[in-house]
Amino acid sequence: MDAIDHRIIAALQENGRQKLGDLADSVGLSPTPCARRIAALEQNGIITGYGARVDQSKLGLPVTVFISVELESQNREAVTKFERAVSRMDEVMECHLMSGNRDILLRVAVADLTAFDRFMEEKLMRVDGIARMRSSFTLRTMVTRNVLPVE
C-alpha cells in the first residue's frame, strides 16, 4: 500500500457513497486507475465491505451493555463453541477474545432492561461452558470513531 491507497481508504471511510469521479479527483487519480486500486484493496481484504452507520438509539436500541465472560475452559474447542453460539445472537454487536482476567468481552445492544434480561435468560445463559459473567451498562458514550487512522 502506498500513500494513494491510504488516501483512498481515508476518503471511503469518511464517505463510502461518493461517486468514483469525485473520489478519484480527491486522491489525484483518474477514475479507471482509482477503480483498479479500490478493486485491489477489496480483493486483498483491506476494504471488507460497505454499509450505513446507524444511530442505535434512533433504531430503538438505546441500551449498550458490556459483558465480561469467563469460560470454564480456555481451550480452542471451548472458545470456538462459544464464538459459534454468540455469532447467532443478533444483540451481540462485538465479541472479543481478551487477555487478562476475562476471556471474552461482548458489546450488546438492546431496547431496555427487559430486553437485556430476556437476552441473558433465553440466549447467553444457555451457552454451555460459561463460568462467570459480569455486566456493565453504558451511561453515556463519550467517543465513537468509525474511521481508522490512516497515515
Side-chain angles (χ1 to χ4, degrees), residues 12-27:
L12 286 174
Q13 285 187 108
E14 287 293 331
N15 179 5
R17 291 180 53 137
Q18 63 187 297
K19 294 178 181 172
L20 179 61
D22 295 338
L23 174 62
D25 285 344
S26 74
V27 300

Side-chain angles (χ1 to χ4, degrees), residues 82-98:
F82 182 85
E83 183 179 8
R84 255 188 257 122
V86 297
S87 69
R88 293 189 298 268
M89 300 175 189
D90 292 337
E91 299 88 348
V92 175
M93 299 291 97
E94 296 177 40
C95 177
H96 301 273
L97 182 63
M98 304 294 290

Side-chain angles (χ1 to χ4, degrees), residues 7-62:
R7 289 197 302 268
I8 290 170
I9 292 167
L12 286 174
Q13 285 187 108
E14 287 293 331
N15 179 5
R17 291 180 53 137
Q18 63 187 297
K19 294 178 181 172
L20 179 61
D22 295 338
L23 174 62
D25 285 344
S26 74
V27 300
L29 293 174
S30 62
T32 301
C34 186
R36 277 196 292 255
R37 283 178 177 259
I38 293 169
L41 291 166
E42 291 168 349
Q43 194 170 28
N44 291 325
I46 296 164
I47 296 175
T48 59
Y50 300 88
R53 294 182 195 135
V54 178
D55 183 320
Q56 76 179 58
S57 292
K58 291 180 180 173
L59 199 57
L61 301 167

Side-chain angles (χ1 to χ4, degrees), residues 95-115:
C95 177
H96 301 273
L97 182 63
M98 304 294 290
S99 64
N101 61 353
R102 61 181 160 221
D103 299 322
I104 309 287
L105 181 63
L106 302 175
R107 182 173 69 87
V108 173
V110 291
D112 53 31
L113 293 178
T114 301

